[in-house]
Amino acid sequence: MLDDVGNNAGLGGADFDDSADADKVGSFRFFFDTQSWEWSDEVARLHGYAPGEVEPTTELLAGHKHPDDRNDFEHLVEEMATNHSVFSSRHRIIDTRGEVHHIMVIGQPIVDESGTPIGTEGFYLDMDGLDSRIVKAQIDHHVNRFRKSQGVIEQTKGMIMFTYRVSADQAFEVLKWRSQVTNVKVSILCRNIIAGSQAISIPDSARHSFDHLLLTAHQDTDTAAPPTDDE
């Protein structure tokens, strides 16, 4: 099952705002294990195909890239499979009629219930004929949404790291473990942890130590030691 972190975009149409023509946007998914692609009807038409006419593949997509942009596309696919991070790419594609389209592609990781990245999803934005302000608004809208969704997990990892004195990887393993044991998605656990943490009372001594750290963080660490209980 796919996690719902940033996963509001179904292939029938992503969560686009109303500032761009619906025919100008479409969604896609790419899965690491099978190296398979899915695309919406809008993306198929953008490449010059009727919905369901062809099965998208890496080779097919690469063949539609402008020759000057093909290396960038191959690098992008490699980045998707290795870094599993939010990305954006601006390049040109050539449809079946030989027409060139200037597009923006924005994507984010797809993760399973344990939080493990299993693919990439995102959207195509056909920038031809669009006002530059609309293009910027679309890009900002979706990048911010992706980052906000990922931020929930990163924030919770930071809380676990601070509380238990563990690394980022170890903190994520804790979240994966709780997800597997409880059969609850990582993103839901993180949202619940953040919400529940608001009711936790922090001892004054711990707060005072952090106050000191916050106010002396600009100094050398050797001279910014926290106060002792006697101070």
Side-chain angles (χ1 to χ4, degrees):
M1 180 181 295
L2 300 184
D3 197 349
D4 61 354
V5 177
N7 195 23
N8 297 323
L11 287 177
D15 179 26
F16 303 114
D17 59 36
D18 297 328
S19 60
D21 189 332
D23 291 337
K24 293 285 189 179
V25 292
S27 52
F28 75 92
R29 287 181 177 179
F30 174 68
F31 295 95
F32 301 143
D33 58 346
T34 59
Q35 294 289 293
S36 60
W37 294 80
E38 298 175 1
W39 62 12
S40 66
D41 293 347
E42 293 83 4
V43 177
R45 284 191 287 265
L46 181 62
H47 287 80
Y49 299 104
E53 180 180 351
V54 296
E55 185 80 15
T57 64
T58 300
E59 292 73 20
L60 178 70
L61 291 169
H64 279 282
K65 296 298 179 284
H66 189 283
D68 293 341
D69 299 337
R70 197 162 298 164
N71 287 339
D72 291 339
F73 170 74
E74 293 173 353
H75 178 69
L76 175 63
V77 173
E78 182 179 349
E79 287 286 307
M80 287 194 302
T82 55
N83 291 341
H84 313 313
S85 59
V86 173
F87 70 87
S88 64
S89 173
R90 181 170 179 169
H91 54 267
R92 292 160 291 178
I93 65 172
I94 303 174
D95 65 22
T96 57
R97 298 176 296 276
E99 296 179 3
V100 177
H101 301 267
H102 294 77
I103 65 169
M104 174 68 73
V105 179
I106 296 178
Q108 66 159 0
I110 301 172
V111 297
D112 62 17
E113 287 183 341
S114 70
T116 302
I118 61 173
T120 299
E121 66 177 353
F123 74 98
Y124 278 65
L125 172 63
D126 184 358
M127 298 187 295
D128 294 333
L130 289 182
D131 185 281
S132 60
R133 292 170 297 179
I134 293 178
V135 172
K136 184 178 186 302
Q138 286 287 324
I139 294 170
D140 290 346
H141 171 75
H142 292 285
V143 169
N144 289 338
R145 179 169 62 86
F146 291 162
R147 287 176 176 167
K148 182 178 180 181
S149 297
Q150 289 189 312
V152 172
I153 293 178
E154 293 303 316
Q155 183 178 351
T156 309
K157 283 169 56 180
M159 295 167 64
I160 294 173
M161 292 167 64
F162 178 79
T163 302
Y164 299 111
R165 297 296 189 267
V166 296
S167 68
D169 288 342
Q170 291 169 327
F172 193 57
E173 287 300 319
V174 171
L175 289 173
K176 289 170 62 177
W177 164 64
R178 293 304 299 156
S179 174
Q180 293 165 354
V181 169
T182 61
N183 197 29
V184 175
K185 297 176 181 179
V186 168
S187 59
I188 295 176
L189 285 176
C190 290
R191 286 196 292 268
N192 291 345
I193 290 171
I194 292 172
S197 68
Q198 304 303 311
I200 297 176
S201 177
I202 305 297
D204 288 343
S205 59
R207 185 180 296 109
H208 291 162
S209 294
F210 191 80
D211 290 343
H212 181 80
L213 175 61
L214 178 64
L215 295 174
T216 60
H218 62 286
Q219 302 175 8
D220 184 89
T221 54
D222 292 334
T223 61
T228 65
D229 292 338
D230 296 333
E231 293 180 336

